[in-house]
Amino acid sequence: MAERCNQPIALHLDHGESVEQVKNALKWGYTSVMFDGSRLPYDQNVAITKQCAELAKVAGASIEGEIGHVAMGDETALTEPDEAEAFAAATGVDALAISIGTAHGYYKSEPKLDIERCRAIAERLPNVPLVLHGGSGTPLDEVRKAIENGIVKINVATEFQDTFLKSVNKNLVALDGKFMPIDKFMDPVVDDCAAHIARLIRFFAGR
Ligand SMILES: [Zn+2]
């Protein structure tokens, strides 16, 4: 699909769980991979991320790591600036996911981001792009502050999937039991998803 597209495509493995997964993604043409060792002991996270970084480098792809832990239905561990600096130096990652108060999935109450922590990490790592996971449902003024303090990539999955499901439902209800070929059915769903992401991209870019 990437080859057929007339736009430049970045294909990213998010939250890679093993060297094997990263290896496969690189073999299949991913341009960017993440190894997420954020739940592992520090030394193990460093060792495996470093190994993945070396593989990515050989394949000409970029590599993202994570230090601290952005909750995935478990506990958040905020990123320590000292540890982030040491982790980036020890692994050679091209981008670093940090934990400053967001979480994956839906929020039960509005998250409050630790912007001071974000700034402190960015000051230690001026040459390493910082990544914010758990972008879905984060108030946009908080996201704006994070961008102003060093975040350059924002991961949004949950609210995008939510847009997809709601659009499928809306169009299905409108169809009222009549048949429609699936490709034709999907056209307005794809338009809704594209519009959602376009709005976010414009906001992130400050336009
Ligand atoms: Zn994530």
Side-chain angles (χ1 to χ4, degrees), residues 115-150:
I115 297 298
E116 281 309 308
R117 184 180 296 272
C118 184
R119 190 209 309 265
I121 297 165
E123 277 169 2
R124 308 272 183 106
L125 293 169
N127 299 315
V128 180
L130 300 179
V131 183
L132 185 71
H133 284 245
S136 291
T138 303
L140 288 178
D141 57 328
E142 294 277 301
V143 174
R144 168 66 55 220
K145 281 187 234 157
I147 293 170
E148 284 164 0
N149 288 280

mmCIF file of all heavy atoms in Angstrom, residues 115-150:
data_model
loop_
_atom_site.group_PDB
_atom_site.id
_atom_site.type_symbol
_atom_site.label_atom_id
_atom_site.label_comp_id
_atom_site.label_asym_id
_atom_site.label_seq_id
_atom_site.Cartn_x
_atom_site.Cartn_y
_atom_site.Cartn_z
ATOM 1 N N ILE A 115 4.819 19.503 32.846
ATOM 2 C CA ILE A 115 5.521 20.254 31.795
ATOM 3 C C ILE A 115 6.953 20.591 32.221
ATOM 4 O O ILE A 115 7.877 20.593 31.403
ATOM 5 C CB ILE A 115 4.729 21.539 31.437
ATOM 6 C CG1 ILE A 115 3.353 21.161 30.868
ATOM 7 C CG2 ILE A 115 5.502 22.410 30.448
ATOM 8 C CD1 ILE A 115 3.365 20.361 29.579
ATOM 9 N N GLU A 116 7.152 20.860 33.519
ATOM 10 C CA GLU A 116 8.503 21.151 34.020
ATOM 11 C C GLU A 116 9.441 19.978 33.762
ATOM 12 O O GLU A 116 10.597 20.136 33.388
ATOM 13 C CB GLU A 116 8.458 21.457 35.524
ATOM 14 C CG GLU A 116 8.004 22.856 35.850
ATOM 15 C CD GLU A 116 8.778 23.905 35.057
ATOM 16 O OE1 GLU A 116 10.030 23.870 35.069
ATOM 17 O OE2 GLU A 116 8.124 24.745 34.404
ATOM 18 N N ARG A 117 8.920 18.784 33.993
ATOM 19 C CA ARG A 117 9.694 17.558 33.760
ATOM 20 C C ARG A 117 10.040 17.426 32.274
ATOM 21 O O ARG A 117 11.166 17.079 31.906
ATOM 22 C CB ARG A 117 8.870 16.353 34.227
ATOM 23 C CG ARG A 117 9.568 15.008 34.153
ATOM 24 C CD ARG A 117 8.631 13.912 34.638
ATOM 25 N NE ARG A 117 8.279 14.065 36.038
ATOM 26 C CZ ARG A 117 8.978 13.557 37.058
ATOM 27 N NH1 ARG A 117 10.051 12.817 36.817
ATOM 28 N NH2 ARG A 117 8.597 13.750 38.297
ATOM 29 N N CYS A 118 9.060 17.724 31.438
ATOM 30 C CA CYS A 118 9.253 17.670 29.986
ATOM 31 C C CYS A 118 10.379 18.623 29.577
ATOM 32 O O CYS A 118 11.296 18.248 28.841
ATOM 33 C CB CYS A 118 7.940 18.056 29.292
ATOM 34 S SG CYS A 118 7.982 17.915 27.511
ATOM 35 N N ARG A 119 10.316 19.840 30.090
ATOM 36 C CA ARG A 119 11.325 20.836 29.758
ATOM 37 C C ARG A 119 12.717 20.395 30.242
ATOM 38 O O ARG A 119 13.711 20.533 29.550
ATOM 39 C CB ARG A 119 10.964 22.187 30.408
ATOM 40 C CG ARG A 119 11.834 23.346 29.923
ATOM 41 C CD ARG A 119 11.983 24.412 30.990
ATOM 42 N NE ARG A 119 10.692 24.827 31.531
ATOM 43 C CZ ARG A 119 10.010 25.886 31.097
ATOM 44 N NH1 ARG A 119 10.488 26.636 30.144
ATOM 45 N NH2 ARG A 119 8.858 26.203 31.664
ATOM 46 N N ALA A 120 12.767 19.841 31.457
ATOM 47 C CA ALA A 120 14.054 19.396 32.032
ATOM 48 C C ALA A 120 14.672 18.286 31.173
ATOM 49 O O ALA A 120 15.879 18.280 30.932
ATOM 50 C CB ALA A 120 13.844 18.899 33.461
ATOM 51 N N ILE A 121 13.833 17.374 30.687
ATOM 52 C CA ILE A 121 14.335 16.282 29.842
ATOM 53 C C ILE A 121 14.824 16.856 28.510
ATOM 54 O O ILE A 121 15.905 16.499 28.021
ATOM 55 C CB ILE A 121 13.242 15.205 29.620
ATOM 56 C CG1 ILE A 121 12.853 14.566 30.953
ATOM 57 C CG2 ILE A 121 13.720 14.145 28.623
ATOM 58 C CD1 ILE A 121 11.563 13.757 30.925
ATOM 59 N N ALA A 122 14.034 17.759 27.921
ATOM 60 C CA ALA A 122 14.400 18.361 26.623
ATOM 61 C C ALA A 122 15.714 19.132 26.725
ATOM 62 O O ALA A 122 16.529 19.112 25.795
ATOM 63 C CB ALA A 122 13.281 19.273 26.140
ATOM 64 N N GLU A 123 15.936 19.781 27.873
ATOM 65 C CA GLU A 123 17.192 20.538 28.048
ATOM 66 C C GLU A 123 18.403 19.611 28.086
ATOM 67 O O GLU A 123 19.475 19.953 27.614
ATOM 68 C CB GLU A 123 17.124 21.389 29.323
ATOM 69 C CG GLU A 123 16.409 22.707 29.069
ATOM 70 C CD GLU A 123 16.083 23.475 30.352
ATOM 71 O OE1 GLU A 123 16.459 22.995 31.446
ATOM 72 O OE2 GLU A 123 15.424 24.528 30.236
ATOM 73 N N ARG A 124 18.212 18.412 28.672
ATOM 74 C CA ARG A 124 19.321 17.449 28.721
ATOM 75 C C ARG A 124 19.576 16.801 27.365
ATOM 76 O O ARG A 124 20.656 16.305 27.102
ATOM 77 C CB ARG A 124 19.018 16.319 29.706
ATOM 78 C CG ARG A 124 18.620 16.759 31.077
ATOM 79 C CD ARG A 124 19.812 16.952 31.970
ATOM 80 N NE ARG A 124 19.328 17.314 33.296
ATOM 81 C CZ ARG A 124 19.327 16.499 34.328
ATOM 82 N NH1 ARG A 124 19.822 15.293 34.223
ATOM 83 N NH2 ARG A 124 18.873 16.908 35.489
ATOM 84 N N LEU A 125 18.520 16.724 26.546
ATOM 85 C CA LEU A 125 18.607 15.977 25.285
ATOM 86 C C LEU A 125 18.211 16.851 24.091
ATOM 87 O O LEU A 125 17.231 16.568 23.394
ATOM 88 C CB LEU A 125 17.687 14.748 25.346
ATOM 89 C CG LEU A 125 18.098 13.667 26.345
ATOM 90 C CD1 LEU A 125 16.983 12.648 26.518
ATOM 91 C CD2 LEU A 125 19.379 12.972 25.877
ATOM 92 N N PRO A 126 19.001 17.910 23.839
ATOM 93 C CA PRO A 126 18.604 18.847 22.771
ATOM 94 C C PRO A 126 18.572 18.211 21.384
ATOM 95 O O PRO A 126 17.903 18.724 20.493
ATOM 96 C CB PRO A 126 19.666 19.951 22.856
ATOM 97 C CG PRO A 126 20.830 19.336 23.566
ATOM 98 C CD PRO A 126 20.263 18.307 24.492
ATOM 99 N N ASN A 127 19.278 17.080 21.210
ATOM 100 C CA ASN A 127 19.350 16.471 19.864
ATOM 101 C C ASN A 127 18.516 15.203 19.727
ATOM 102 O O ASN A 127 18.612 14.514 18.710
ATOM 103 C CB ASN A 127 20.803 16.176 19.503
ATOM 104 C CG ASN A 127 21.628 17.448 19.486
ATOM 105 O OD1 ASN A 127 21.190 18.467 18.941
ATOM 106 N ND2 ASN A 127 22.798 17.418 20.107
ATOM 107 N N VAL A 128 17.733 14.870 20.747
ATOM 108 C CA VAL A 128 16.901 13.664 20.666
ATOM 109 C C VAL A 128 15.424 14.076 20.672
ATOM 110 O O VAL A 128 14.937 14.613 21.671
ATOM 111 C CB VAL A 128 17.186 12.699 21.845
ATOM 112 C CG1 VAL A 128 16.309 11.460 21.746
ATOM 113 C CG2 VAL A 128 18.663 12.307 21.879
ATOM 114 N N PRO A 129 14.713 13.843 19.554
ATOM 115 C CA PRO A 129 13.282 14.184 19.524
ATOM 116 C C PRO A 129 12.508 13.412 20.590
ATOM 117 O O PRO A 129 12.691 12.205 20.742
ATOM 118 C CB PRO A 129 12.838 13.749 18.121
ATOM 119 C CG PRO A 129 14.089 13.621 17.324
ATOM 120 C CD PRO A 129 15.180 13.265 18.292
ATOM 121 N N LEU A 130 11.661 14.103 21.328
ATOM 122 C CA LEU A 130 10.888 13.472 22.398
ATOM 123 C C LEU A 130 9.472 13.149 21.919
ATOM 124 O O LEU A 130 8.865 13.924 21.181
ATOM 125 C CB LEU A 130 10.829 14.390 23.620
ATOM 126 C CG LEU A 130 12.196 14.750 24.229
ATOM 127 C CD1 LEU A 130 12.006 15.685 25.427
ATOM 128 C CD2 LEU A 130 12.989 13.509 24.633
ATOM 129 N N VAL A 131 8.983 11.989 22.350
ATOM 130 C CA VAL A 131 7.691 11.475 21.879
ATOM 131 C C VAL A 131 6.697 11.409 23.033
ATOM 132 O O VAL A 131 7.041 10.953 24.128
ATOM 133 C CB VAL A 131 7.865 10.065 21.270
ATOM 134 C CG1 VAL A 131 6.532 9.557 20.709
ATOM 135 C CG2 VAL A 131 8.950 10.063 20.193
ATOM 136 N N LEU A 132 5.461 11.864 22.757
ATOM 137 C CA LEU A 132 4.390 11.794 23.751
ATOM 138 C C LEU A 132 3.404 10.705 23.330
ATOM 139 O O LEU A 132 2.693 10.850 22.335
ATOM 140 C CB LEU A 132 3.675 13.152 23.832
ATOM 141 C CG LEU A 132 2.601 13.291 24.910
ATOM 142 C CD1 LEU A 132 3.228 13.335 26.303
ATOM 143 C CD2 LEU A 132 1.750 14.532 24.678
ATOM 144 N N HIS A 133 3.371 9.618 24.086
ATOM 145 C CA HIS A 133 2.350 8.581 23.866
ATOM 146 C C HIS A 133 1.121 8.956 24.698
ATOM 147 O O HIS A 133 1.214 9.751 25.624
ATOM 148 C CB HIS A 133 2.878 7.207 24.298
ATOM 149 C CG HIS A 133 3.837 6.604 23.322
ATOM 150 N ND1 HIS A 133 3.568 5.449 22.631
ATOM 151 C CD2 HIS A 133 5.053 7.020 22.894
ATOM 152 C CE1 HIS A 133 4.584 5.164 21.839
ATOM 153 N NE2 HIS A 133 5.501 6.099 21.978
ATOM 154 N N GLY A 134 -0.024 8.339 24.368
ATOM 155 C CA GLY A 134 -1.237 8.642 25.136
ATOM 156 C C GLY A 134 -1.798 10.002 24.790
ATOM 157 O O GLY A 134 -2.378 10.685 25.631
ATOM 158 N N GLY A 135 -1.646 10.413 23.516
ATOM 159 C CA GLY A 135 -2.142 11.728 23.095
ATOM 160 C C GLY A 135 -3.662 11.829 23.096
ATOM 161 O O GLY A 135 -4.215 12.904 23.324
ATOM 162 N N SER A 136 -4.340 10.684 22.867
ATOM 163 C CA SER A 136 -5.817 10.705 22.776
ATOM 164 C C SER A 136 -6.449 11.250 24.045
ATOM 165 O O SER A 136 -6.138 10.793 25.141
ATOM 166 C CB SER A 136 -6.360 9.289 22.559
ATOM 167 O OG SER A 136 -6.023 8.824 21.289
ATOM 168 N N GLY A 137 -7.330 12.230 23.876
ATOM 169 C CA GLY A 137 -8.089 12.737 25.011
ATOM 170 C C GLY A 137 -7.292 13.667 25.916
ATOM 171 O O GLY A 137 -7.821 14.171 26.904
ATOM 172 N N THR A 138 -6.013 13.901 25.594
ATOM 173 C CA THR A 138 -5.240 14.873 26.378
ATOM 174 C C THR A 138 -5.719 16.265 25.969
ATOM 175 O O THR A 138 -5.779 16.556 24.783
ATOM 176 C CB THR A 138 -3.727 14.718 26.085
ATOM 177 O OG1 THR A 138 -3.347 13.372 26.364
ATOM 178 C CG2 THR A 138 -2.901 15.662 26.940
ATOM 179 N N PRO A 139 -6.093 17.119 26.954
ATOM 180 C CA PRO A 139 -6.579 18.454 26.585
ATOM 181 C C PRO A 139 -5.575 19.160 25.665
ATOM 182 O O PRO A 139 -4.365 19.105 25.904
ATOM 183 C CB PRO A 139 -6.688 19.178 27.930
ATOM 184 C CG PRO A 139 -6.833 18.081 28.946
ATOM 185 C CD PRO A 139 -6.052 16.924 28.406
ATOM 186 N N LEU A 140 -6.096 19.819 24.622
ATOM 187 C CA LEU A 140 -5.196 20.367 23.604
ATOM 188 C C LEU A 140 -4.290 21.472 24.134
ATOM 189 O O LEU A 140 -3.175 21.648 23.650
ATOM 190 C CB LEU A 140 -6.016 20.857 22.402
ATOM 191 C CG LEU A 140 -6.615 19.721 21.551
ATOM 192 C CD1 LEU A 140 -7.460 20.287 20.412
ATOM 193 C CD2 LEU A 140 -5.531 18.795 20.993
ATOM 194 N N ASP A 141 -4.748 22.212 25.166
ATOM 195 C CA ASP A 141 -3.845 23.247 25.705
ATOM 196 C C ASP A 141 -2.655 22.614 26.430
ATOM 197 O O ASP A 141 -1.553 23.156 26.434
ATOM 198 C CB ASP A 141 -4.592 24.243 26.605
ATOM 199 C CG ASP A 141 -5.315 23.561 27.753
ATOM 200 O OD1 ASP A 141 -5.759 22.407 27.577
ATOM 201 O OD2 ASP A 141 -5.424 24.174 28.835
ATOM 202 N N GLU A 142 -2.854 21.416 26.997
ATOM 203 C CA GLU A 142 -1.742 20.679 27.626
ATOM 204 C C GLU A 142 -0.780 20.174 26.542
ATOM 205 O O GLU A 142 0.434 20.221 26.702
ATOM 206 C CB GLU A 142 -2.271 19.478 28.426
ATOM 207 C CG GLU A 142 -3.098 19.844 29.634
ATOM 208 C CD GLU A 142 -2.228 20.171 30.839
ATOM 209 O OE1 GLU A 142 -1.460 19.315 31.269
ATOM 210 O OE2 GLU A 142 -2.331 21.308 31.337
ATOM 211 N N VAL A 143 -1.360 19.682 25.448
ATOM 212 C CA VAL A 143 -0.531 19.213 24.328
ATOM 213 C C VAL A 143 0.297 20.379 23.785
ATOM 214 O O VAL A 143 1.487 20.229 23.502
ATOM 215 C CB VAL A 143 -1.411 18.598 23.207
ATOM 216 C CG1 VAL A 143 -0.565 18.257 21.989
ATOM 217 C CG2 VAL A 143 -2.125 17.345 23.712
ATOM 218 N N ARG A 144 -0.341 21.530 23.655
ATOM 219 C CA ARG A 144 0.364 22.719 23.151
ATOM 220 C C ARG A 144 1.567 23.029 24.039
ATOM 221 O O ARG A 144 2.670 23.274 23.563
ATOM 222 C CB ARG A 144 -0.614 23.912 23.098
ATOM 223 C CG ARG A 144 -0.008 25.278 22.867
ATOM 224 C CD ARG A 144 0.628 25.467 21.490
ATOM 225 N NE ARG A 144 -0.286 25.166 20.413
ATOM 226 C CZ ARG A 144 0.064 24.521 19.293
ATOM 227 N NH1 ARG A 144 1.304 24.131 19.096
ATOM 228 N NH2 ARG A 144 -0.822 24.263 18.362
ATOM 229 N N LYS A 145 1.369 22.993 25.360
ATOM 230 C CA LYS A 145 2.477 23.282 26.295
ATOM 231 C C LYS A 145 3.585 22.255 26.146
ATOM 232 O O LYS A 145 4.766 22.598 26.218
ATOM 233 C CB LYS A 145 1.971 23.294 27.749
ATOM 234 C CG LYS A 145 1.267 24.586 28.133
ATOM 235 C CD LYS A 145 0.959 24.582 29.623
ATOM 236 C CE LYS A 145 -0.513 24.846 29.876
ATOM 237 N NZ LYS A 145 -1.006 24.361 31.155
ATOM 238 N N ALA A 146 3.213 20.995 25.959
ATOM 239 C CA ALA A 146 4.219 19.941 25.785
ATOM 240 C C ALA A 146 5.040 20.195 24.519
ATOM 241 O O ALA A 146 6.260 20.045 24.514
ATOM 242 C CB ALA A 146 3.540 18.571 25.727
ATOM 243 N N ILE A 147 4.366 20.631 23.446
ATOM 244 C CA ILE A 147 5.068 20.935 22.186
ATOM 245 C C ILE A 147 6.041 22.088 22.412
ATOM 246 O O ILE A 147 7.179 22.060 21.944
ATOM 247 C CB ILE A 147 4.054 21.271 21.065
ATOM 248 C CG1 ILE A 147 3.229 20.032 20.694
ATOM 249 C CG2 ILE A 147 4.767 21.839 19.844
ATOM 250 C CD1 ILE A 147 2.040 20.311 19.785
ATOM 251 N N GLU A 148 5.597 23.087 23.157
ATOM 252 C CA GLU A 148 6.459 24.250 23.417
ATOM 253 C C GLU A 148 7.641 23.893 24.301
ATOM 254 O O GLU A 148 8.616 24.635 24.397
ATOM 255 C CB GLU A 148 5.637 25.367 24.080
ATOM 256 C CG GLU A 148 4.742 26.090 23.085
ATOM 257 C CD GLU A 148 3.649 26.910 23.768
ATOM 258 O OE1 GLU A 148 3.585 26.926 25.019
ATOM 259 O OE2 GLU A 148 2.845 27.514 23.032
ATOM 260 N N ASN A 149 7.570 22.732 24.953
ATOM 261 C CA ASN A 149 8.636 22.338 25.884
ATOM 262 C C ASN A 149 9.341 21.053 25.474
ATOM 263 O O ASN A 149 9.848 20.326 26.332
ATOM 264 C CB ASN A 149 8.081 22.246 27.301
ATOM 265 C CG ASN A 149 7.793 23.623 27.867
ATOM 266 O OD1 ASN A 149 8.695 24.310 28.327
ATOM 267 N ND2 ASN A 149 6.553 24.051 27.779
ATOM 268 N N GLY A 150 9.378 20.777 24.182
ATOM 269 C CA GLY A 150 10.274 19.730 23.696
ATOM 270 C C GLY A 150 9.657 18.515 23.031
ATOM 271 O O GLY A 150 10.383 17.707 22.451
#
